[in-house]
Each structure stands twice: as C-alpha cells, then as structure tokens.
Amino acid sequence: MVGGPGCGKGTQCAKIVEKYGYCHLSSGDLLRAEVASGSARAKELQATMESGGLVTLVSYLWILYVYNGSHSGIVQP
C-alpha cells in the first residue's frame, strides 16, 4: 500500500489483515524499530531519516532479512 502521510494506509492495512489474515509490515515501523535497536546500522539510518533522505534499498532489504530471521514464517521468500 502506497500513499502520503496520514492518508489512511495503516487503517486500510489493519482492515485487510483482519479480513484476509495477511501480515502487515510497515516500512516506517521497521525502520524506527531498527534505529531504536541501537544496531550498527542504526546511526546511519537515523541520520538519513532525520535529514529527510531516502533509505537505500540495500539497507531496507537487510532490515527485512533480519526481521524475517527473528519472526520465522512471517515473511516467505
């Protein structure tokens, strides 16, 4: 789901999860959790996010990879 801030993406995703049982992964939530974790990538991500820059695809894919490893079965290849 793609849309601007405050347009209802989270609300609609919650309804989709409830109705169809899908897993909702919020890119913003995952990025903020990674920054809060204090990981090696956290400072780089925090600086990028605070400056309004775009997080690299490699960084985001790494976060998904780590998330998948810690939540077995949630994200299927």
Side-chain angles (χ1 to χ4, degrees), residues 16 18-19 27 31 33-34 40 50 52 55 61 67 71:
I16 291 168
E18 184 179 323
K19 184 171 183 174
S27 59
L31 290 168
E34 185 68 18
E50 285 178 353
V55 174
L61 290 175
Y67 181 87
H71 296 83

Side-chain angles (χ1 to χ4, degrees), residues 13-72:
C13 285
K15 291 179 179 186
I16 291 168
V17 167
E18 184 179 323
K19 184 171 183 174
Y20 299 105
Y22 293 159
C23 176
H24 174 216
L25 297 175
S26 165
S27 59
D29 291 348
L30 290 172
L31 290 168
R32 285 186 288 276
E34 185 68 18
V35 168
S37 77
S39 73
R41 293 183 186 263
K43 286 184 182 180
E44 175 187 337
L45 289 171
Q46 185 172 14
T48 301
M49 291 164 61
E50 285 178 353
S51 71
L54 295 175
V55 174
T56 65
L57 179 60
V58 170
S59 293
Y60 187 67
L61 290 175
W62 177 255
I63 292 167
L64 286 174
Y65 174 78
V66 170
Y67 181 87
N68 187 43
S70 65
H71 296 83
S72 182

